[in-house]
Amino acid sequence: MFSCHFLLLTWVLLTARVQSHSWRPCTDLLPLDLLSKALPPPGHATPTQVQMVQSKGSRGLRLASAVAAPLNFPASQIFTNCYYFPSEFSLVATVKIQTLRQKTNEYIFSVVREGSDSLLLGLRVSENRLHFLTTSTGPGGRSRMTFKDVGLDNNRWHTVVLAVTGPYATLTVDCGLPLELKQVQSFPSHLSTRGSRFFVGSRGRWRGRFSGLLRQLVLLPGSDATPRLCPSPDPTLTELSIPQVLKTTPFQPDQQGPVYTYEAEARVTLGDRPPCSRLEQGQLWFNAQGKGLFICDGLTWRTLLQSKQRLDYVEDYQDLYTRSETLDVEVFSIPSEGLFMAAANKDSRTGSGIYRWTNASFQLYQNISTQEARSWKHFTIDDKIFLVVAANFREAGSERSVIYQWHRRRRRFVRYQTLETHTAQDWEAFRIHNHSFLVVANHRRERDSNHNIHSVIYRWNPDTKLFEVNQTLLTSGAYDWEFFTVGPYHFLVVANTFDGRTTIISSTIYVWLDGSFQTFQSVPTVGATDWEPFQIDGRFFLAVANSQKIPDRGTSVYSINSTVYELNTLTQTFIRFQDILTHSALDWEFFTIGDEKFLVVANSHDGSSYSLNSVVYRWQGYEGFVPVHSLPTFGCRDWEDFSTDEGSFLIYSSAKSRLSKVFKLRNY
């Protein structure tokens, strides 16, 4: 099994034809750039079967035609001292693959015996899977190792490292946590490559042709390449060796012909913020006032270049009087429509309000009938826009929460689907391998006041266009769900608040394995109401908001520590990083200003008053988060950060008053 240190290569020369007094490996122990070997030397013309493509700022090669000869070279070019493939090695590949259809198999590379067309080795990709195939002349015959749920075919750049030694194969995607498989037979110790050829992007004769972009393909004999590549500031494009031609050749757009406007031309717009939708995708906007260059990603404007800013102070900006006490706010954008905010209002008589950013402030845009609304969640599926509310609609003897869809012609949200819930507190929307999911935090069953009940994960059925039950997870007074990813791994974390007797209970982190979420780690919490996942300089953190300490006996305590946890990649667990004193904390919000990182907490109650300061903390490296600003709040329940042409803002909702507030972040 590979470790973080280089492995000692122990090859034995088994052929009597090699007569030498000193041992030599079959090939150099340096990285072997297989992609460069298949291409003409620098300065020569690029072969006609290869297209140079630039995608998302990085160049790759696309095999352009099934008519031309496939890219290949004889194995003797790299196995110069003997013909045996190394028994311990790693393969590094950087690829960008569009979504693959079922039963589609494409080869990143293969080693094929000439004449017989027999496959010796192959690295093959299919829908959401990566396969490593080997063929030996021994009793084992052909074998295949399959890594599932790797998520490579999502039209994004990924760098994979496959390390093989003995019966073990370890796959690392984008410097994430490694996946290890073990097979019955060890990798052949004397796999002869005599009379064989390396094929790049195919299995030979254009069978299994690779349709994606290929930027890097490297064989490293004798050691695991992961320590050479990771950690990396850009793990999806980390480099061991790439062809010189990819560094110097002018690029071509992703597709041929002016099918998509943004590929045919790049137009820079000046002045006020222009609309950003799929029609403007790829267009540039220069904001002279904000000194920034932005690109439209089809939904919103993303920063390309901007002068660095630092937070100077925070000022009151807008007093926002909502329909009633507000338990949650959700800020989101609708292409070609602008910025919106959904307020979860407590009073069932007045319903909840949808607000639109108009004339530099939030103005009521639509009112939606809700029952004791607790929170909103915005999400998209394909080009459809949805809002789901955690509420307590009573229909046919059960509690229901409602999904609303944006109606483009009416320019309003309309009811789309109802789902059974139990005193729902929160919804989280997420995607895994091109599948859309919703998970609800069921807090308490009304008929028996039981807090120890199942929360439900729903999956979108693309045929019925409805969400259907996918999995249930036992929770205790669930209050919040958060989804996050670390490398190729997908996680859900629940904030368990109360088990019917005490708030001193554990909350659970789940990891996606084999098509479902399984327990990854239990974390001790005290009336947990919110989790906030975030990254800083490649480090992964989770901040929990602890609300109150209710023991089996005794009085409740509201001024307690909330905790920031950091992922330890060695132990593969989240460990305590920093405790922060909070006062019945109900929410954390992570945001950035320039290169600076911040957390703001929603302090709601100290046991005697709801009028408290909520605190902004700045990241100070190894010192952790330190307080820099105190913001006066009343019954603070939720924070959201957002940016507009007018600057950067924070908005908080009050669970004890109709007055919510918008603060402006003044920078210098």
Side-chain angles (χ1 to χ4, degrees):
M1 173 183 317
F2 279 100
S3 66
C4 292
H5 304 286
F6 293 134
L7 295 175
L8 178 64
L9 182 65
T10 55
W11 287 359
V12 179
L13 301 180
L14 300 177
T15 173
R17 298 181 181 179
V18 178
Q19 301 293 332
S20 175
H21 296 288
S22 61
W23 175 84
R24 289 191 302 169
C26 290
T27 185
D28 293 334
L29 300 184
L30 300 174
L32 301 172
D33 189 342
L34 304 182
L35 190 53
S36 292
K37 291 285 185 182
L39 295 173
H44 290 66
T46 303
T48 57
Q49 68 266 44
V50 174
Q51 289 177 312
M52 193 74 59
V53 177
Q54 176 151 323
S55 179
K56 301 185 185 299
S58 298
R59 295 170 188 157
L61 297 178
R62 172 178 291 151
L63 305 179
S65 172
V67 178
L71 291 179
N72 68 96
F73 62 90
S76 58
Q77 282 192 16
I78 57 175
F79 298 113
T80 55
N81 300 324
C82 64
Y83 293 104
Y84 294 110
F85 200 91
S87 59
E88 296 180 349
F89 62 93
S90 55
L91 289 163
V92 181
T94 299
V95 295
K96 180 174 178 287
I97 309 170
Q98 293 186 348
T99 302
L100 297 175
R101 294 177 297 178
Q102 289 184 350
K103 299 182 180 180
T104 297
N105 291 289
E106 299 183 358
Y107 282 82
I108 297 175
F109 100 102
S110 63
V111 182
V112 178
R113 198 176 303 279
E114 292 185 286
S116 65
D117 198 32
S118 174
L119 179 72
L120 296 180
L121 284 174
L123 188 63
R124 191 176 74 191
V125 64
S126 63
E127 184 186 28
N128 203 23
R129 299 186 179 192
L130 185 71
H131 314 271
F132 179 63
L133 301 93
T134 60
T135 303
S136 65
T137 57
R142 176 172 293 187
S143 65
R144 180 179 68 184
M145 284 187 169
T146 297
F147 295 89
K148 301 178 181 179
D149 295 332
V150 293
L152 297 180
D153 56 330
N154 60 0
N155 203 30
R156 298 178 181 175
W157 285 109
H158 295 287
T159 296
V160 299
V161 181
L162 177 67
V164 177
T165 181
Y168 297 97
T170 304
L171 180 69
T172 304
V173 180
D174 300 335
C175 292
L177 299 176
L179 295 168
E180 185 179 83
L181 295 179
K182 182 182 179 182
Q183 60 181 358
V184 177
Q185 297 289 335
S186 294
F187 186 83
S189 59
H190 51 281
L191 181 63
S192 175
T193 63
R194 180 191 293 271
S196 63
R197 301 187 73 86
F198 278 78
F199 286 87
V200 174
S202 73
R203 194 199 176 285
R205 298 183 182 179
W206 289 106
R207 294 173 58 187
R209 184 170 68 90
F210 184 64
S211 62
L213 300 182
L214 185 59
R215 176 174 174 82
Q216 178 174 222
L217 183 61
V218 180
L219 169 66
L220 181 63
S223 62
D224 184 358
T226 307
R228 300 194 184 195
L229 297 170
C230 305
S232 169
D234 191 356
T236 64
L237 290 163
T238 183
E239 295 179 5
L240 186 60
S241 177
I242 67 170
Q244 185 66 29
V245 68
L246 292 178
K247 301 177 181 179
T248 58
T249 302
F251 70 87
Q252 298 175 7
D254 258 342
Q255 306 286 341
Q256 298 301 305
V259 178
Y260 300 97
T261 306
Y262 74 93
E263 295 171 349
E265 59 180 11
R267 185 173 65 251
V268 179
T269 302
L270 300 176
D272 295 335
R273 186 189 190 96
C276 173
S277 66
R278 296 181 68 180
L279 294 177
E280 290 82 26
Q281 187 172 3
Q283 299 302 314
L284 302 175
W285 165 50
F286 181 72
N287 184 347
Q289 181 179 3
K291 299 179 181 178
L293 181 65
F294 304 86
I295 187 169
C296 175
D297 66 0
L299 182 63
T300 187
W301 291 101
R302 300 290 184 182
T303 303
L304 291 177
L305 296 171
Q306 193 168 28
S307 59
K308 293 184 179 179
Q309 297 178 320
R310 294 175 62 86
L311 179 62
D312 190 7
Y313 62 94
V314 182
E315 68 175 9
D316 279 359
Y317 184 80
Q318 181 185 2
D319 289 342
L320 183 62
Y321 287 91
T322 56
R323 313 292 291 184
S324 65
E325 299 95 328
T326 304
L327 303 186
D328 174 76
V329 287
E330 174 83 348
V331 179
F332 58 96
S333 295
I334 298 179
S336 303
E337 294 291 344
L339 186 73
F340 291 81
M341 184 270 290
N345 296 128
K346 182 179 179 180
D347 195 330
S348 302
R349 296 169 300 176
T350 58
S352 294
I354 307 295
Y355 296 79
R356 183 177 182 179
W357 188 262
T358 306
N359 297 325
S361 65
F362 280 118
Q363 305 294 329
L364 184 63
Y365 181 81
Q366 180 184 358
N367 194 69
I368 296 179
S369 176
T370 56
Q371 299 287 323
E372 301 173 15
R374 299 287 176 172
S375 67
W376 288 97
K377 187 65 182 180
H378 160 265
F379 62 97
T380 61
I381 298 178
D382 299 325
D383 60 347
K384 299 179 178 63
I385 299 167
F386 297 93
L387 275 177
V388 58
V389 64
N392 297 320
F393 289 95
R394 288 168 177 82
E395 298 178 0
S398 65
E399 296 179 37
R400 317 287 293 185
S401 291
V402 182
I403 302 172
Y404 298 88
Q405 183 182 358
W406 176 257
H407 195 289
R408 284 186 170 84
R409 184 175 56 82
R410 296 169 58 184
R411 300 172 70 188
R412 290 289 188 272
F413 282 98
V414 297
R415 180 178 283 219
Y416 185 81
Q417 182 183 0
T418 63
L419 297 170
E420 183 177 7
T421 54
H422 301 283
T423 320
Q425 298 293 314
D426 180 63
W427 286 96
E428 178 72 337
F430 57 95
R431 289 179 62 81
I432 297 178
H433 310 317
N434 300 319
H435 297 291
S436 296
F437 296 86
L438 282 176
V439 58
V440 63
N442 282 327
H443 184 71
R444 177 180 55 86
R445 191 164 50 219
E446 189 177 56
R447 71 170 184 268
D448 56 6
S449 297
N450 186 4
H451 290 78
N452 302 302
I453 59 177
H454 285 94
S455 292
V456 183
I457 300 172
Y458 297 88
R459 178 171 169 173
W460 176 260
N461 185 325
D463 296 324
T464 64
K465 301 292 191 295
L466 294 172
F467 280 97
E468 300 172 352
V469 174
N470 179 258
Q471 184 181 356
T472 60
L473 296 170
L474 185 62
T475 53
S476 298
Y479 214 87
D480 177 59
W481 282 103
E482 294 293 334
F483 174 80
F484 62 98
T485 61
V486 179
Y489 292 92
H490 307 282
F491 294 90
L492 270 179
V493 58
V494 65
N496 286 325
T497 304
F498 185 63
D499 66 358
R501 297 184 303 109
T502 179
T503 60
I504 307 172
I505 56 178
S506 292
S507 294
T508 307
I509 304 171
Y510 300 90
V511 63
W512 178 267
L513 291 175
D514 298 325
S516 65
F517 282 100
Q518 302 178 27
T519 299
F520 176 78
Q521 182 182 351
S522 293
V523 181
T525 52
V526 184
T529 54
D530 179 66
W531 285 99
E532 182 76 359
F534 56 93
Q535 296 183 44
I536 298 178
D537 300 329
R539 300 163 65 181
F540 295 87
F541 295 91
L542 279 175
V544 63
N546 288 324
S547 64
Q548 56 180 312
K549 184 177 182 180
I550 302 178
D552 286 336
R553 295 180 178 86
T555 59
S556 299
V557 180
Y558 297 91
S559 296
I560 56 178
N561 284 331
S562 293
T563 303
V564 179
Y565 294 89
E566 181 179 7
L567 177 63
N568 186 314
T569 56
L570 295 179
T571 63
Q572 298 185 13
T573 57
F574 283 91
I575 61 175
R576 186 184 303 269
F577 174 78
Q578 182 181 3
D579 288 326
I580 299 175
L581 180 63
T582 55
H583 308 283
S584 192
L586 296 181
D587 183 55
W588 284 107
E589 181 76 3
F590 177 79
F591 64 97
T592 62
I593 300 292
D595 292 333
E596 294 186 313
K597 315 294 191 298
F598 298 90
L599 276 175
V600 59
V601 65
N603 285 325
S604 67
H605 188 52
D606 63 0
S608 60
S609 176
Y610 295 101
S611 182
L612 299 173
N613 285 331
S614 293
V615 183
V616 178
Y617 299 86
R618 178 190 283 123
W619 172 255
Q620 294 291 107
Y622 289 104
E623 297 179 34
F625 287 95
V626 299
V628 291
H629 295 283
S630 294
L631 304 177
T633 55
F634 183 74
C636 185
R637 177 64 180 263
D638 182 47
W639 284 102
E640 286 280 302
D641 76 291
F642 64 96
S643 296
T644 71
D645 295 343
E646 290 76 26
S648 299
F649 299 88
L650 289 172
I651 181 174
Y652 93 86
S653 65
S654 172
K656 295 298 177 180
S657 168
R658 289 183 54 232
L659 176 61
S660 294
K661 276 185 172 288
V662 179
F663 294 94
K664 186 168 186 178
L665 305 175
R666 289 293 186 179
N667 310 317
Y668 64 90

